[in-house]
Amino acid sequence: MIGGLEEGGSGAGGISANGGAMGGPPAYGTAEAVARRSYGKLVAFLAARTQDVAAAEDALGDAFAAALSHWPRSGVPSNPEAWLLTVARRKMIDTARRARNGEAAAAELQLLAGRGESAGAGAEIPDHRLALMFVCAHPAIDAGIRAPLMLQTVLGFDAKMIASAFLTSPAAMGKRLVRAKNKIRQAGIPFAVPGREELAVRLGAVLDAIYAAFAEGWSIPDGTDLARRDLAEEALFLGRLVAGLLPDQPEALGLLALMLHAEARRPARRDEEGEYVPFAAQDTARWDWQMIGLAERLLLHASTLGSIGRYQLEGALQSAHVHRRRTGEGNWPMVLHLYDALHALSSSPVVAVNRALAIAEVEGAVAALEALYAATADVRLTEYQPYWAARAEMLARTGATPEACHAYEVAIGLERDPAVRRFLQRRREAVVSRCE
């Protein structure tokens, strides 16, 4: 659950448009930007023909190392992605030539050189990255690591970002990813695009990865972090592709509706000075009504398909919040009812926190605190900022000022967004001032 408080050309040569050779810093900056923007696309393109994701990652890593060696001396190419792709493909050809003999090597070399047909008769998926995500959802891979594997392999997340998305430590997530890749190599799990009849079975993990990418991109509401903003747009693009590819899958429609509802509120999450505006205080006139209307139509269609799941429920929650735009008042009983259903379906601590906030609006702060305390057995909450912010707010409402101030301090320390930190600091100061 998102904090309920809330796609290269041909040829690899050329010099940068600046003209002449570029120095070290621009070269390194370009390599870093390309890694953030295009890593997953390049891996997906390299692996699309051979279905060897590990080899694609290794070759691309070598290509980036070559770039950091060559670009500072010879200049940044006009199309860095094409340069990297060409170098990586050559390295894969060299590796295949050294490792194999005879017909098998010839066939693989043809594929790597861009000739011949890709192995396998998988479904026609209209995007290399999305195809690779379905590959990463192979049933022989442990279910819990499929979405993180997609985030790393396809979308270029590092272990820290993935850990944050799944409320675990970077070290633990890094180890899980290494173990998963070792298992893939040792067990010889075939990385081939599945047939259309297999897509629905693999869909859940793909949706989880798309949602995690969207949530990370949505977390910087003013759009100042362009890499994160690109993530949200990429996730919406992938979500639309999945919904178009599998229009009879209600959860695919539910996820797209959920993301559209959230994206529709982005303009209202900052005021004219760039300060954070919490959901309850947002000017609903700044919400994108056209985007909301599309989300509503998707949810309505999903409701006719005969099953209910997490993303439909979360999309319905966002829909329930639209009630405030229409009437000026929150539909908190319906929000709580939906959170109860989602809580029964999911053990997510994020759901538990947001359910507690809904309880506060219906039953009061004391009942909300009881719900929060009931969730504290989940150790993941200790590093989850919205938990501490919610706890602080409920404590303040009950007059427990010292405890509320401590909870605000923890929340402030955990928050990455300066504007949200300032908001929390103001909330803490208001609590203190009431007792002076």
Side-chain angles (χ1 to χ4, degrees):
M1 179 89 203
I2 297 172
L5 312 169
E6 280 211 8
E7 187 144 281
S10 60
I15 300 296
S16 169
N18 295 15
M22 297 182 67
Y28 283 94
T30 299
E32 183 180 4
V34 172
R36 288 198 309 263
R37 179 178 67 243
S38 301
Y39 178 86
K41 301 173 193 175
L42 295 173
V43 170
F45 192 88
L46 289 165
R49 296 179 181 277
T50 65
Q51 286 75 52
D52 191 337
V53 178
E57 287 191 297
D58 291 344
L60 187 56
D62 289 344
F64 270 105
L68 293 178
S69 174
H70 289 280
W71 291 358
R73 301 195 309 269
S74 60
V76 176
S78 59
N79 191 332
E81 284 90 347
W83 191 98
L84 289 162
L85 190 62
T86 298
V87 173
R89 184 181 285 134
R90 287 171 180 164
K91 290 183 179 296
M92 292 181 75
I93 290 172
D94 290 342
T95 299
R97 185 180 289 118
R98 290 195 303 268
R100 300 188 182 188
N101 295 306
E103 294 182 3
E108 184 167 349
L109 291 172
Q110 279 191 326
L111 288 172
L112 288 167
R115 299 187 295 272
E117 296 298 324
S118 176
E124 292 185 7
I125 300 176
D127 183 86
H128 286 313
R129 291 161 302 161
L130 184 58
L132 187 53
M133 292 173 78
F134 277 101
V135 167
C136 289
H138 193 286
I141 300 172
D142 291 343
I145 201 64
R146 293 172 195 167
L149 186 63
M150 294 174 208
L151 290 172
Q152 184 184 67
T153 302
V154 183
L155 297 174
F157 277 40
D158 59 26
K160 184 176 180 180
M161 291 173 68
I162 300 170
S164 175
F166 290 90
L167 299 183
T168 188
S169 73
M173 181 57 69
K175 290 177 182 178
R176 290 178 62 196
L177 287 163
V178 169
R179 285 198 300 268
K181 291 184 179 182
N182 287 338
K183 178 180 177 180
I184 290 166
R185 290 188 180 98
Q186 293 164 5
I189 295 173
F191 269 71
V193 178
R196 176 169 287 276
E197 70 282 355
E198 299 176 71
L199 296 182
V201 176
R202 302 188 184 194
L203 179 62
V206 173
L207 297 181
D208 289 346
I210 292 174
Y211 184 46
F214 179 80
E216 183 66 22
W218 198 74
S219 64
I220 304 298
D222 65 349
T224 55
D225 188 329
L226 294 180
R228 281 211 177 98
R229 182 62 186 264
D230 286 348
L231 269 177
E233 292 174 354
E234 289 284 293
L236 276 165
F237 173 75
L238 291 169
R240 289 186 174 101
L241 283 182
V242 174
L245 184 66
L246 299 169
D248 59 342
Q249 292 296 319
E251 280 293 85
L253 303 179
L255 175 60
L256 180 55
L258 163 61
M259 294 190 296
L260 288 169
H261 265 303
E263 189 66 15
R265 300 202 306 267
R266 186 186 289 274
R269 299 182 69 221
R270 295 291 165 116
D271 64 18
E272 293 179 355
E273 287 73 42
E275 291 301 311
Y276 171 74
V277 180
F279 175 76
Q282 288 176 12
D283 178 1
T284 60
R286 299 183 66 191
W287 292 358
D288 188 322
W289 188 246
Q290 185 175 5
M291 198 173 285
I292 288 172
L294 176 56
E296 295 286 272
R297 291 191 295 274
L298 287 165
L299 286 172
L300 181 61
H301 180 48
S303 71
T304 68
L305 297 177
S307 66
I308 192 70
R310 167 194 173 188
Y311 291 115
Q312 290 171 85
L313 286 171
E314 293 198 12
L317 275 162
Q318 303 305 319
S319 178
H321 285 309
V322 176
H323 181 84
R324 182 158 69 89
R325 173 171 174 141
R326 296 191 179 110
T327 68
E329 297 180 356
N331 188 2
W332 289 107
M334 177 56 71
V335 171
L336 179 55
H337 174 72
L338 289 167
Y339 270 123
D340 286 341
L342 192 56
H343 188 60
L345 189 65
S346 169
S347 61
S348 166
V350 182
V351 172
V353 171
N354 286 285
R355 175 174 174 268
L357 291 170
I359 289 174
E361 299 298 328
V362 177
E363 301 175 17
V366 173
L369 277 173
E370 291 176 357
L372 285 172
Y373 291 143
T376 55
D378 193 323
V379 297
R380 293 174 292 180
L381 287 177
T382 60
E383 300 293 322
Y384 185 54
Q385 181 271 109
Y387 163 75
W388 289 100
R391 178 169 171 166
E393 177 67 20
M394 296 307 109
L395 286 166
R397 291 189 191 183
T398 60
T401 302
E403 294 89 345
C405 287
H406 170 70
Y408 271 125
E409 288 166 2
V410 177
I412 291 165
L414 290 172
E415 180 53 54
R416 298 175 297 170
D417 186 339
V420 177
R421 276 201 303 273
R422 291 193 296 271
F423 169 79
L424 292 170
Q425 287 164 347
R426 291 193 295 270
R427 299 292 290 178
R428 181 188 180 281
E429 290 164 4
V431 171
V432 173
S433 67
R434 289 202 297 265
C435 299
E436 292 178 346

